[in-house]
Amino acid sequence: MGAQSDLFGLEVERALGAAAESPAPISLRKAVLDPVPNDGVDGALDEPRAPHDREA
Amino acid sequence: MSESDDFSRFVDAHLDLVYGFAAARVGRDVADAVVLDVFRSARHTVDRGEGEVLSRSWLLTRARNRILAHWRLVAERAESESSGDTPAREVRIGTDWDAERVLDALDRLPAAERAVLALRYLEGRPVAEVAHMIDRPHATTQQLLEKARRAFHALALPTAAPTAAPV
């Protein structure tokens, strides 16, 4: 049980490390350089969304 | 060279770093908000004539503070957003993790489960410290962590990947 748990942990660590290498979307660069007031993204920090509701 | 060009170069040099740092911890939606907040602050700093303080560590510190505030908020709501139990899957060692697939899985996890995974496996904090940070008992945090690991593997593992030989 413990060994299985450790293996899970190692794989999660590797997976999250891969995610940390993700490049930012082009649209985000544009939003950073040309900010629009109340662009609708700000609230995400204070109002965590339910799973599955990110648009494709 | 204009101040605007300088800021654009600064963004291009650091945007992926800050985004990846945030996305692996809070998922893509919240990462977008973190990145916008951090670079908005950076722009204000430049506007105040204090642009010389900006650096990689300045950005990551600010991103980290915003993420910590978000984690505290989602931890308060942890009980109300359970994903339900996920059956355990066999661990596959050496999976070639695809970042997009991992981010898809993170996006689908409840925020509290993302938080404990990141605190434990990206921040490397002991379970006791994770429990303290989210203000939950140790046993509850351990259960949440195990549940999060199972859910994450169920969502993130490629279904056709080969299974590792027993260790």
Side-chain angles (χ1 to χ4, degrees):
Chain A
M1 182 66 180
Q4 181 83 346
S5 179
D6 289 347
L7 294 177
F8 262 127
L10 286 172
E11 284 303 301
V12 172
E13 192 176 317
R14 289 183 58 244
L16 295 181
E21 301 295 319
S22 301
I26 301 293
S27 58
L28 184 58
R29 179 184 183 275
K30 185 175 185 322
V32 166
L33 291 175
D34 299 307
V36 177
N38 294 321
D39 51 17
V41 180
D42 291 349
L45 271 173
D46 302 321
E47 292 293 332
R49 298 184 191 185
H52 312 292
D53 68 351
R54 183 183 176 95
E55 292 179 9
Chain B
M1 185 59 65
S2 74
E3 204 169 71
S4 175
D5 288 335
D6 286 345
F7 187 72
S8 293
R9 277 202 302 275
F10 179 74
V11 169
D12 286 337
H14 297 96
L15 182 64
D16 287 348
L17 172 75
V18 178
Y19 176 77
F21 179 86
R25 286 164 172 76
V26 294
R28 286 177 291 201
D29 285 330
V30 179
D32 287 354
V34 169
V35 167
L36 285 173
D37 178 80
V38 167
F39 281 100
R40 182 179 298 140
S41 293
R43 186 188 285 274
H44 290 161
T45 301
V46 170
D47 290 345
R48 290 196 306 271
E50 300 168 0
E52 71 278 1
V53 304
L54 297 180
S55 65
R56 166 193 166 110
S57 63
W58 187 97
L59 292 168
L60 292 181
T61 298
R62 186 159 189 98
R64 182 176 176 69
N65 288 341
R66 292 300 277 151
I67 289 167
L68 285 172
H70 173 75
W71 279 338
R72 289 190 197 104
L73 188 68
V74 300
E76 289 175 7
R77 306 176 185 187
E79 279 87 1
S80 64
E81 61 173 9
S82 168
S83 64
D85 281 335
T86 306
R89 284 183 70 171
E90 195 168 352
V91 182
R92 289 174 179 152
I93 307 304
T95 297
D96 186 14
W97 292 106
D98 174 73
E100 279 297 304
R101 188 177 185 93
V102 173
L103 289 174
D104 284 344
L106 288 173
D107 286 344
R108 293 158 68 93
L109 280 181
E113 295 183 18
R114 281 199 304 257
V116 293
L117 284 182
L119 284 165
R120 181 74 185 93
Y121 297 112
L122 273 174
E123 306 283 321
R125 297 174 190 272
V127 175
E129 193 176 334
V130 175
H132 176 72
M133 289 190 70
I134 66 171
D135 195 24
R136 290 288 176 281
H138 187 284
T140 304
T141 303
Q142 184 69 54
Q143 287 168 1
L144 182 62
L145 190 56
E146 288 175 9
K147 188 171 150 190
R149 280 197 304 241
R150 286 198 302 272
F152 175 77
H153 272 257
L155 291 166
L157 272 176
T159 52
T163 302
V167 180

